[in-house]
Amino acid sequence: MPIPVLDTHIHLTQQWKKGAQGLDNGWLESEGESFQRDQWTEEDIFKLNNEGGGKFSIEGFVFVECANAPAIEEAKWVLEMVESSQSKVLALVANIPVPDGQHAVDEFLSQLKTTDDKLPAGLKGGRVVLLGNPMPPPTACLDDTYLEGLAALHSHGLLWEWCCHPSAIPSISKASAKFPNMTFILDHLGHNSGGDDFETWAPAIDDLAKNTNVVAKLGAIEQWEVADSSIYLDHALKAFGPTRVLAESNWFVSTAMGDPYDLTFQRIHQACVRAGYSAAQIEDVFVNNAKRVYTL
């Protein structure tokens, strides 16, 4: 029987190239040929999953911001998906400008509020990647303005996702500890372009996991640049346990980099089996934790 999965990390675009009808995407413009499709859609995911044999049954998606611009229009576009019965996008993590402080956060969110002055139920949190060229300082998230932005986001009842190089994990741990009642999610196990750095990454992950308000996404293995992903997955399960990890495909990046849609899910499932997880715990990893963390 197919394994149910709530995919907590997908990106979508639509007619994004200059002069087309969709939202521009400067990130994709800077990537290689395999990223240059005119659009990346939900329909593509279901087709790829079926082509892979349908080992996993997709229960829904969490859309995570992916530089469709302007960011506020990306958010409005995705919130329309959340409201549509034709879409399996259940939640949005938007490009909310937390690093720019309280005013920037409040201004962004004010543009999404409904007529009764409430935020849309489908908006669950925000993300601005701690990546780039040049790379932000590892301590960027500890700047006063950044922390002010996190406090503002928390006041609106939203969570925050960290996407970073491993060198930033110690600072992320400190920042997360400052808001013990706020939920934080570590995307991709904090391992974007980390390389084979297990001896430094693992202790940093252990320290981060001591913050019980932090949850970790298992995925983006195609970007880790490691010879053996299993030791990282196994350690993450040991550090965070079965109730504080989420399954993510990191689609469309995974497909653009040559991986089948369900390959990461297969690897996560194998790690759960190695850890001796019960069927109920595996269901937590693939579905129930996501429902709890994103209040779905």
Side-chain angles (χ1 to χ4, degrees), residues 191 194-204 226 231-236:
H191 208 264
D196 275 311
D197 63 344
F198 184 81
E199 297 305 319
T200 54
W201 170 86
V226 300
I231 61 172
Y232 293 84
L233 290 170
D234 292 350
H235 189 83

Side-chain angles (χ1 to χ4, degrees), residues 6-296:
L6 203 165
D7 186 346
T8 63
H9 204 103
I10 67 162
H11 307 305
L12 302 170
T13 68
Q14 189 174 44
Q15 302 295 332
W16 61 271
K17 295 183 178 180
K18 295 288 187 184
Q21 299 302 309
L23 301 175
D24 291 345
N25 195 298
W27 167 44
L28 285 177
E29 287 180 355
S30 70
E31 294 291 344
E33 183 60 32
S34 62
F35 285 80
Q36 302 305 307
R37 296 186 189 179
D38 289 338
Q39 56 187 9
W40 298 86
T41 69
E42 283 185 74
E43 290 76 14
D44 294 332
I45 299 177
F46 286 107
K47 180 180 177 182
L48 290 168
N49 190 53
N50 289 335
E51 288 174 353
K55 303 179 199 68
F56 294 86
S57 171
I58 301 170
E59 302 290 300
F61 304 111
V62 176
F63 177 100
V64 178
E65 63 84 21
C66 63
N68 292 304
I72 192 66
E73 296 304 323
E74 177 185 61
K76 292 176 180 179
W77 175 53
V78 176
L79 287 169
E80 289 179 1
M81 295 182 212
V82 173
E83 293 297 318
S84 171
S85 62
Q86 304 302 309
S87 172
K88 281 212 170 185
V89 175
L90 305 177
L92 163 67
V93 176
N95 187 239
I96 303 173
V98 158
D100 298 330
Q102 177 182 352
H103 178 74
V105 170
D106 291 343
E107 172 63 23
F108 185 95
L109 295 178
S110 71
Q111 299 176 70
L112 297 178
K113 287 186 175 180
T114 58
T115 52
D116 57 357
D117 202 37
K118 294 182 179 179
L119 289 172
L123 177 64
K124 302 301 182 179
R127 182 182 84 151
V128 174
V129 299
L130 282 166
L131 299 166
N133 186 14
M135 190 76 72
T139 58
C141 64
L142 294 173
D143 290 349
D144 288 343
T145 303
Y146 202 120
L147 295 174
E148 176 189 282
L150 286 175
L153 192 72
H154 183 37
S155 74
H156 290 282
L158 300 174
L159 58 77
W160 185 247
E161 302 209 4
W162 302 110
C163 183
C164 67
H165 185 269
S167 60
I169 295 175
S171 295
I172 283 172
S173 184
K174 293 176 183 177
S176 300
K178 292 178 181 292
F179 302 92
N181 296 316
M182 182 177 179
T183 297
F184 292 94
I185 300 174
L186 180 67
D187 292 350
H188 318 332
L189 289 184
H191 208 264
N192 285 73
S193 303
D196 275 311
D197 63 344
F198 184 81
E199 297 305 319
T200 54
W201 170 86
I205 285 292
D206 290 340
D207 286 341
L208 178 63
K210 293 174 184 176
N211 295 301
T212 57
N213 59 328
V214 178
V215 177
K217 285 186 182 179
L218 309 170
I221 295 169
E222 66 280 353
Q223 294 182 290
W224 290 0
E225 300 176 359
V226 300
D228 180 7
S229 62
S230 65
I231 61 172
Y232 293 84
L233 290 170
D234 292 350
H235 189 83
L237 293 182
K238 182 179 179 181
F240 286 95
T243 61
R244 290 171 55 209
V245 291
L246 306 169
E248 60 157 329
S249 68
N250 195 36
W251 197 86
F252 51 78
V253 176
S254 53
T255 289
M257 295 184 70
D259 282 357
Y261 168 72
D262 68 357
L263 179 58
T264 294
F265 296 149
Q266 293 182 51
R267 288 171 168 166
I268 295 169
H269 188 263
Q270 290 162 4
C272 289
V273 171
R274 287 193 300 272
Y277 283 3
S278 66
Q281 288 173 315
I282 291 173
E283 186 177 1
D284 286 345
V285 171
F286 280 95
V287 178
N288 295 333
N289 295 344
K291 288 181 176 180
R292 185 189 74 250
V293 170
Y294 288 108
T295 59
L296 298 174

